[in-house]
Amino acid sequence: MITQQDLISGIEEYCGEVNEELIRRAYLFTLDKHGTQLRESGDPFFSHPIEVAEILISLKMDQDTIIAGMLHDTIEDTHTTLEEITEHFGEKIAKIVDGVTKLSKFESSSLAERQAENFRKLLMSAASDIRVLIIKLADRLHNIRTLKFKKKKLRRQYIAKETLEIYAPIAERIGIMGIKDELQDTAFAELHPEIYKTIKSRLRHLYDASEHIISSTVNEIQKLALKIDIPCSISGRLKTPHSIWEKMKIRNISFDQLSDIMAFRIIVDSIAQCYQMLGCIHRNYLVIPGRFRDYISTPKNNNYQSLHTSVIGPLNKRIEIQIRTKDMHQIAEFGIAAHCDYKINGAQKPKTSTDYHWIRNLVSVLENASGIDEFLANSKTEILSDTVFCVTPKGTIVSLPRGSTVLDFAYSIHSDIGNRASVAKVNGSSVPLQTIVENGDQIEIIVDHKQVPKPAWEGYVVTIKAKTAIKKFLGAFDRERITMIGKSNFYNCLERYDIAVTDRDVNSICENLKCESRTQMFYAIGSSQITMREIITVYNEIKSANLNLSVVDKPPASIPNEGEPSIFGLPNLPITPVSCCSPIPGDRIVGIAIDNVGIEIHIEKCRLLPEKEREPNVKMLELSWNKKAFDVNKKYPTNLYITSTYEPGNLSKIATAIENKGGDIINLKIGEKYDNLFQIQIEVEVSDIAQLAMINAELRSVPFINKVVRS
Ligand code: MN
């Protein structure tokens, strides 16, 4: 157990002024009050609050918090009164101790009765002073470290479950990842000892086998960094058993299938270097598609920032890499404590260019507050203020962005519940679906199977999940898409029959088809209400009825077959895949039949085509897509080359632009940087050229993108 002197020098290490006398008094007070009480482990009880204080020191908390940490169980477990604490240690410390004591009351009641109702009280009281919450986390951390000494298995399991469900998420929310990991891992070991043991022993085995992999990977990345002259520190580790278990559950795979259990962290000096380092990693190693995350431009809710990517690293091992700056690392490891540190070390100014808005709030409090205690007292709920917590009737906590409605809540549970929501009850009374939820609301959604989303609902919700689900249901998305497809089908079809139409022609066709507008006609074509055959027929009718519209120098176009192949003109031969170009529905395509082998399908403009034509034993085929038969749900890959100026966070903006238009990114490579320009190659899956055109347009509207070219 830590001595008084260690405690004091521990605080002095990061905190300028220390009231030694007060700390000694608190230490002795704790010893005296808990006296001969024993813990189940047989240790004297007072070892618990003193060790909690030690944890708080490791988080670099202020003096008041550490003293309150020492005193946190005196009211609950001894005859000490709040008045006594106020008398000895002052109002401020007493208030914190009182806050922790109130939270402890919830712990003694049974799981069932405190569910829901009391969870939210826990959160609410916690929100009254962030320090109360941090002491509670330190308390829980020490309790879970010593959990094995509790004799009753049920009690142990209860504490472990509660730790996973309440405390680990709170630690994550505040951003103290070190505590979050330890809470999760220890609770997991208690709840699933067999699984924990298996994973742990496999990890140990793997660690022995991979120790040199970790060190040689670190060395190799270090060499790459040296080459591009970026100073950095690199560390490698195996992931924690709990995070591995979560992955196995989420992806429904076995340990053997889980290949990226090694994670590496690269810490650099600046945001620019983060992206340079990322580019360097992506150039040197094979990138695993779909795993890249840019949390620098879009920080997580708890303000976590980093770049994440997975690659096939040196020695052909799948590894995860995180890249971040020192500041980001501080915040990731210590959360709020990082800010205290920030004040104490004094000198640096906040980076106003970064996007952590709540940190800016805290920083402004910091700058206006006279001391660190005031800063902590003022911070109160600021940290939690961009999020509201509500609970389901079963007690599950749901976090939503502030301003969310009851309907957002329903969609956050499941889109089916959202779509069928008919009545909502908040804290027992019925409310309209657009009611804005408050922190701690207990919400019950009553579904009606006859209910469907109404257009007005789009205005009732703020979360992306709800918006997307409603739009999807109402078909607003589909309408736009189908119209685009219809439009491209219309022109492609006419082009295929060598028909050049004027605006007037299109209007006449529109009129003859009894459509009110072009949009309506394109939608009707896209949704197969009007067939290509009808268009050609109508066109021919117009031409023969009014020869003055334009000179008809060709015979009327023949009518396409109503057969079902997706490509017209294909003989019955196997199709050979090609790597030079990737045709998608709507492209002008050409087929090359190679005797007794098969058919290659190329884009008409493919650079290899002239060469292919010259080869012996080949026959060119005129092919065209059958717009009527193609399946909009089928996705085709194609490559985009984007030239962009360097801008922090642009990768995520590019990805968002593509995703906005429904494209799926399946691969991404970042090329060499020239001056301030660099090239990104993105492999994206789309259903047709109409969609590709929309993606293209969206990309071109991003300011820093100079050029978008398809391969
Ligand atoms: Mn305690």
Side-chain angles (χ1 to χ4, degrees):
M1 197 178 80
I2 191 168
T3 65
Q4 287 181 56
Q5 195 45 53
D6 291 343
L7 211 61
I8 290 162
S9 38
I11 306 172
E12 267 172 346
E13 226 169 77
Y14 62 88
C15 196
E17 276 165 55
V18 177
N19 186 341
E20 267 194 50
E21 199 273 326
L22 196 67
I23 293 168
R24 286 183 198 279
R25 204 192 312 159
Y27 193 97
L28 294 173
F29 188 89
T30 305
L31 252 60
D32 179 48
K33 286 294 178 183
H34 289 292
T36 53
Q37 287 178 343
L38 292 181
R39 306 195 86 208
E40 278 188 63
S41 62
D43 285 336
F45 189 91
F46 60 72
S47 64
H48 166 68
I50 302 297
E51 277 169 61
V52 167
E54 211 181 332
I55 294 171
L56 293 168
I57 290 175
S58 73
L59 290 174
K60 299 196 169 70
M61 294 309 295
D62 67 306
Q63 187 175 288
D64 284 356
T65 310
I66 290 158
I67 292 175
M70 279 192 267
L71 302 172
H72 83 266
D73 275 333
T74 51
I75 298 181
E76 176 85 356
D77 293 338
T78 75
H79 297 298
T80 314
T81 61
L82 188 61
E83 289 70 38
E84 226 179 313
I85 290 187
T86 316
E87 189 189 312
H88 284 89
F89 302 97
E91 195 99 1
K92 280 192 286 179
I93 291 175
K95 231 179 132 192
I96 305 176
V97 176
D98 190 39
V100 185
T101 309
K102 279 186 181 140
L103 287 198
S104 306
K105 295 228 160 70
F106 296 122
E107 289 185 320
S108 48
S109 42
S110 79
L111 190 65
E113 74 178 69
R114 1 168 289 149
Q115 275 292 5
E117 178 70 29
N118 289 341
F119 264 16
R120 77 170 202 230
K121 281 192 185 141
L122 174 89
L123 284 164
M124 305 283 269
S125 6
S128 70
D129 186 334
I130 193 81
R131 289 176 293 183
V132 170
L133 199 53
I134 291 173
I135 292 175
K136 201 62 221 157
L137 287 174
D139 177 41
R140 177 51 58 118
L141 182 62
H142 184 255
N143 282 336
I144 201 121
R145 277 179 184 168
T146 51
L147 188 65
K148 54 180 178 293
F149 298 112
K150 286 225 175 289
K151 288 183 189 80
K152 284 188 196 140
K153 188 178 175 196
L154 268 178
R155 181 77 194 141
R156 286 201 310 268
Q157 295 212 322
Y158 173 76
I159 292 174
K161 208 161 164 265
E162 187 185 60
T163 301
L164 276 184
E165 283 173 2
I166 309 180
Y167 293 98
I170 290 176
E172 182 169 19
R173 184 70 186 90
I174 302 178
I176 314 174
M177 299 314 261
I179 290 190
K180 186 211 87 177
D181 282 347
E182 192 177 342
L183 288 176
Q184 279 182 338
D185 246 27
T186 323
F188 170 54
E190 175 62 42
L191 289 172
H192 304 282
E194 290 307 315
I195 304 172
Y196 180 83
K197 242 190 264 162
T198 317
I199 295 181
K200 192 86 187 165
S201 82
R202 295 257 209 138
L203 274 177
R204 198 169 299 131
H205 175 78
L206 240 142
Y207 188 77
D208 292 339
S210 58
E211 204 174 356
H212 86 278
I213 298 185
I214 291 183
S215 60
S216 63
T217 304
V218 168
N219 283 340
E220 201 169 308
I221 299 176
Q222 195 83 60
K223 273 186 220 150
L224 291 176
L226 257 173
K227 262 196 224 157
I228 55 169
D229 206 20
I230 293 181
C232 60
S233 72
I234 303 165
S235 59
R237 65 192 163 88
L238 293 172
K239 293 185 177 172
T240 65
H242 181 263
S243 70
I244 288 176
W245 171 236
E246 283 297 314
K247 248 181 214 149
M248 286 163 67
K249 274 198 303 190
I250 291 168
R251 299 204 218 134
N252 196 17
I253 50 178
S254 71
F255 191 88
D256 298 314
Q257 291 169 283
L258 201 71
S259 41
D260 47 348
I261 45 156
M262 267 179 270
F264 292 82
R265 186 172 291 149
I266 306 175
I267 296 175
V268 297
D269 291 331
S270 66
I271 292 181
Q273 286 176 352
C274 288
Y275 288 96
Q276 284 161 15
M277 202 62 222
L278 177 75
C280 172
I281 298 281
H282 281 185
R283 275 196 302 278
N284 284 283
Y285 303 112
L286 198 63
V287 181
I288 296 162
R291 304 294 299 278
F292 171 68
R293 297 281 180 277
D294 183 349
Y295 294 121
I296 291 183
S297 63
T298 321
K300 286 192 186 178
N301 276 344
N302 62 14
N303 298 292
Y304 173 87
Q305 288 190 296
S306 257
L307 298 175
H308 287 192
T309 188
S310 291
V311 298
I312 310 286
L315 308 166
N316 272 330
K317 291 277 173 201
R318 238 177 114 132
I319 56 172
E320 186 186 291
I321 295 179
Q322 303 173 346
I323 307 171
R324 53 172 85 142
T325 66
K326 286 178 190 131
D327 288 353
M328 293 172 195
H329 185 58
Q330 279 282 308
I331 289 164
E333 292 296 297
F334 296 111
I336 180 144
H339 312 301
C340 307
D341 205 28
Y342 162 88
K343 176 64 177 178
I344 291 145
N345 295 333
Q348 318 115 286
K349 276 267 153 208
K351 290 190 187 65
T352 42
S353 62
T354 52
D355 269 336
Y356 3 63
H357 59 278
W358 70 273
I359 291 189
R360 251 191 259 134
N361 279 345
L362 286 185
V363 166
S364 73
V365 174
L366 243 174
E367 283 174 341
N368 299 324
S370 51
I372 195 156
D373 353 12
E374 208 180 321
F375 150 60
L376 285 168
N378 282 338
S379 68
K380 288 183 186 174
T381 55
E382 297 289 334
I383 288 178
L384 304 168
S385 71
D386 55 345
T387 306
V388 289
F389 296 92
C390 338
V391 289
T392 66
K394 281 186 184 155
T396 312
I397 295 182
V398 175
S399 67
L400 291 164
R402 187 160 287 274
S404 297
T405 62
V406 169
L407 194 54
D408 281 304
F409 174 88
Y411 275 105
S412 79
I413 295 171
H414 197 281
S415 49
D416 259 1
I417 296 193
N419 285 338
R420 294 183 179 152
S422 70
V423 183
K425 282 187 175 175
V426 171
N427 304 325
S429 40
S430 301
V431 297
L433 292 173
Q434 67 267 45
T435 307
I436 289 176
V437 299
E438 303 272 348
N439 220 347
D441 279 347
Q442 185 188 326
I443 306 172
E444 186 184 353
I445 303 289
I446 294 150
V447 296
D448 176 348
H449 290 277
K450 278 179 245 125
Q451 177 72 287
V452 288
K454 315 241 181 334
W457 285 17
E458 284 193 68
Y460 291 181
V461 295
V462 300
T463 56
I464 307 275
K465 187 176 176 191
K467 283 208 158 126
T468 322
I470 295 170
K471 272 203 174 135
K472 193 174 166 196
F473 198 95
L474 296 175
F477 255 164
D478 288 339
R479 179 160 283 275
E480 188 191 348
R481 234 180 90 89
I482 289 169
T483 309
M484 289 291 277
I485 292 170
K487 186 174 177 183
S488 100
N489 283 2
F490 175 78
Y491 285 104
N492 284 338
C493 169
L494 293 175
E495 210 181 354
R496 203 187 317 142
Y497 293 100
D498 261 347
I499 300 169
V501 284
T502 63
D503 259 6
R504 255 172 79 191
D505 294 345
V506 179
N507 287 341
S508 313
I509 295 174
C510 202
E511 238 177 75
N512 274 273
L513 288 167
K514 300 194 172 51
C515 294
E516 273 169 29
S517 66
R518 289 183 183 208
T519 314
Q520 199 204 340
M521 176 176 73
F522 293 148
Y523 179 76
I525 297 169
S527 55
S528 302
Q529 294 162 40
I530 297 174
T531 63
M532 294 304 164
R533 180 196 287 268
E534 283 172 285
I535 294 172
I536 302 294
T537 313
V538 166
Y539 175 79
N540 288 337
E541 278 168 9
I542 296 168
K543 290 293 142 178
S544 42
N546 186 356
L547 288 171
N548 295 332
L549 269 175
S550 63
V551 183
V552 183
D553 54 359
K554 283 182 213 134
S558 62
I559 291 163
N561 245 330
E562 297 277 14
E564 287 318 309
S566 63
I567 294 176
F568 288 124
L570 266 185
N572 195 13
L573 273 173
I575 293 173
T576 325
V578 292
S579 57
C580 46
C581 59
S582 32
I584 55 179
D587 277 325
R588 289 165 157 276
I589 45 173
V590 173
I592 296 178
I594 305 163
D595 269 0
N596 304 323
V597 179
I599 298 169
E600 288 181 4
I601 301 174
H602 293 266
I603 296 175
E604 211 176 67
K605 284 188 203 135
C606 176
R607 63 202 147 80
L608 294 184
L609 214 51
E611 212 175 293
K612 299 250 178 196
E613 275 176 89
R614 267 180 263 120
E615 280 172 31
N617 304 329
V618 303
K619 200 172 116 208
M620 300 293 290
L621 302 167
E622 268 195 53
L623 301 179
S624 55
W625 298 94
N626 177 0
K627 300 287 166 8
K628 281 207 65 195
F630 85 72
D631 177 8
V632 282
N633 294 319
K634 197 173 169 207
K635 298 276 189 178
Y636 298 79
T638 187
N639 276 305
L640 291 176
Y641 291 88
I642 297 173
T643 312
S644 152
T645 48
Y646 180 77
E647 202 83 64
N650 51 4
L651 276 181
S652 96
K653 283 175 194 144
I654 291 171
T656 312
I658 293 174
E659 274 159 22
N660 277 346
K661 293 296 168 197
D664 295 325
I665 298 176
I666 52 174
N667 205 346
L668 181 147
K669 265 186 209 147
I670 298 176
E672 212 80 46
K673 199 173 138 198
Y674 306 97
D675 291 331
N676 201 32
L677 287 178
F678 67 99
Q679 206 179 48
I680 306 155
Q681 181 195 343
I682 295 181
E683 194 176 349
V684 53
E685 279 190 332
V686 294
S687 48
D688 56 35
I689 54 164
Q691 191 186 16
L692 189 64
M694 287 198 277
I695 290 173
N696 216 325
E698 183 88 352
L699 283 171
R700 281 162 201 272
S701 71
V702 179
F704 53 76
I705 291 180
N706 299 10
K707 213 164 97 186
V708 183
V709 182
R710 191 180 155 200
S711 70

